[in-house]
Amino acid sequence: MYAQLVKSTGEGVKSRDEMTGEERAFQDRIDAGEKIEPRDWMPDAYRATLIRQIGQHAHSEIVGQLPEGNWITRAPTLERKAILLAKVQDEAGHGLYLYSAAETLGVSRDELIEMLHSGRMKYSSIFNYPTLTWADIGAVGWLVDGAAIMNQVPLQRTSYGPYSRAMVRVCKEESFHQRQGYAIMMKMAFGTSAQKRMAQDALNRLWFPSLMMFGPSDAESVHSSQNMAWKIKINTNDELRQKFVDQTVPQAEYLGLTVPDKALKWNKKKGGYDFSDPDWDEFFQVLKGNGPCNRERLDARVTAWEDGAWVREAMVAHAEKTRAREIAAQ
Amino acid sequence: MSSEWPLWEIFVRGQHGLNHRHVGSLHAPDAGMAIRNARDVYTRRNEGVSIWAVRSADIAASAPGDKGPLYEPANTKVYRHPTFFDIPDEVGPM
């Protein structure tokens, strides 16, 4: 998902007998549906896992601005441009909510940014794919934000208070993103034959990368079961992927577009679609840094950070000077 | 790496007549910028009519461990709630 392959540092779920008194009291609070707040006691592994997960989520929001930002200057109408600007600004906001939530766990903003830039922290694999045409902006909103919503809606119930509250805020804003994407797709799919071809082409290229967003199957993973016991993770990757496919296929049919999967078939018995797995080798290659746009994305982030350094410093200097002047005047 | 901007807690009054409510935090070099940033981060959809920004370092908070001594005494003082008292119907609304 926006946080893919988050490994907890623990060795799987401890039985109640193996837990210390503090750990048992902590697990009881989570089981009772209580929220954990920043100053409450928490296991080190819970803290470390959350920093990784929320950090990765925040980085995804920020890096996710880049493929869409690519089209702001080339949006087909002024209205589309204003809408896209608003959406990209929302993504910046989502990143900020999430960075703030991560910081309550004792990591600083600068540390988080440094970890992204040095490659020690990841962001979602999906943003390493290019947005080649305007139809891609539609497909990103429809599929990528759609997949993000699948993951973020249950995370509103996550056990860590600040993360949960950030998710509530994000979810409120996210459905605008998906609907604006689908509205672009409708315009294209019901437009000229060239526009329809572009829409189909965007779906062809982004379908499997969108399925990868949920991460590989983790039903057997010890990390996953610990994260689920801590309510850091609410559903398995496969559950969310299935839900996403079931919801999205009829939306593609409405557009008159074909999902690029020959194995896609309604399975009456399970009440959901059967579908092909994405190419997991490609997924791991993209995570390793070998996707089509990894270098470009990270370079853009680092350049923005370095080029903005003098502004950040100047504003601190200005704030200090103003404060000194106020003190002198008193 | 330069020094990080301080952290501010942001409070927004949603509508006239309501209290300011904590909505989240952000980094800013000074109070003026904290309010400008809060406007962009927390009120993009008409969420507020007034913003407060407070340096996070200036907030005093009760400790989670003090929950018992601070709040449990209230549990035994049910007479602080009006429903503790039975007033006969004949008396009328009270």
Side-chain angles (χ1 to χ4, degrees), chain A residues 23-70:
Chain A
E23 286 171 339
R24 212 171 302 140
F26 177 80
Q27 189 63 50
D28 286 344
R29 291 188 60 197
I30 289 181
D31 293 342
E34 278 183 38
K35 296 286 183 225
I36 308 302
E37 295 298 339
R39 285 154 51 96
D40 295 347
W41 185 89
M42 62 187 84
D44 291 342
Y46 176 87
R47 185 187 298 276
T49 308
L50 265 179
I51 289 176
R52 242 178 303 197
Q53 177 169 339
I54 304 174
Q56 213 179 97
H57 199 154
H59 297 324
S60 298
E61 300 284 355
I62 297 300
V63 177
Q65 294 180 102
L66 298 170
E68 294 186 293
N70 186 32

Side-chain angles (χ1 to χ4, degrees), chain B residues 2-22:
Chain B
S2 66
S3 62
E4 208 174 82
W5 290 348
L7 195 65
W8 299 75
E9 299 303 321
I10 304 303
F11 299 79
V12 170
R13 187 198 297 283
Q15 289 171 41
H16 291 291
L18 295 185
N19 291 318
H20 283 78
R21 261 182 79 174
H22 183 240

Side-chain angles (χ1 to χ4, degrees), chain A residues 4 14 33 60 64 72 78 81 87 95 101 106 128 134-135 158 175 181 195 198 201 251 260 290 306-307 315:
Chain A
Q4 294 157 322
K14 285 186 185 172
S60 298
I72 289 175
L78 190 57
K81 181 175 179 165
K87 179 186 190 285
N128 291 313
W134 175 250
T158 190
S175 98
Q195 284 176 313
M198 280 167 75
D201 171 59
Q251 296 167 351
N290 302 324
E306 286 172 358
D307 288 355
M315 291 178 79

Side-chain angles (χ1 to χ4, degrees), chain A residues 39 90 100 103 110 173, chain B residues 4 25 27 41 44-45 62:
Chain A
R39 285 154 51 96
D90 271 358
S100 296
E103 287 172 78
D110 280 359
E173 299 175 352
Chain B
E4 208 174 82
S25 45
H27 291 271
V41 180
R44 289 195 303 282
R45 289 179 174 77
S62 61

Side-chain angles (χ1 to χ4, degrees), chain A residues 33 60 62 120 204 223 256 281 289 300:
Chain A
S60 298
I62 297 300
R120 280 193 293 145
N204 291 349
H223 299 299
D281 291 337

Side-chain angles (χ1 to χ4, degrees), chain A residues 87-103:
Chain A
K87 179 186 190 285
V88 172
Q89 191 192 20
D90 271 358
E91 306 297 2
H94 296 177
L96 291 175
Y97 307 153
L98 286 158
Y99 280 130
S100 296
E103 287 172 78

Side-chain angles (χ1 to χ4, degrees), chain A residues 1 146-155 211 213-215 218 233-248 275:
Chain A
M1 196 52 250
I149 291 171
M150 268 311 153
N151 178 55
Q152 290 172 157
V153 165
L155 277 177
L211 296 190
M213 287 177 67
F214 298 96
D218 60 356
K233 189 180 175 74
I234 311 290
N235 305 91
T236 67
N237 295 347
D238 289 327
E239 279 168 9
L240 291 172
R241 188 171 13 249
Q242 180 72 52
K243 244 177 116 177
F244 174 74
V245 171
D246 292 346
Q247 181 186 287
T248 309
F275 56 92

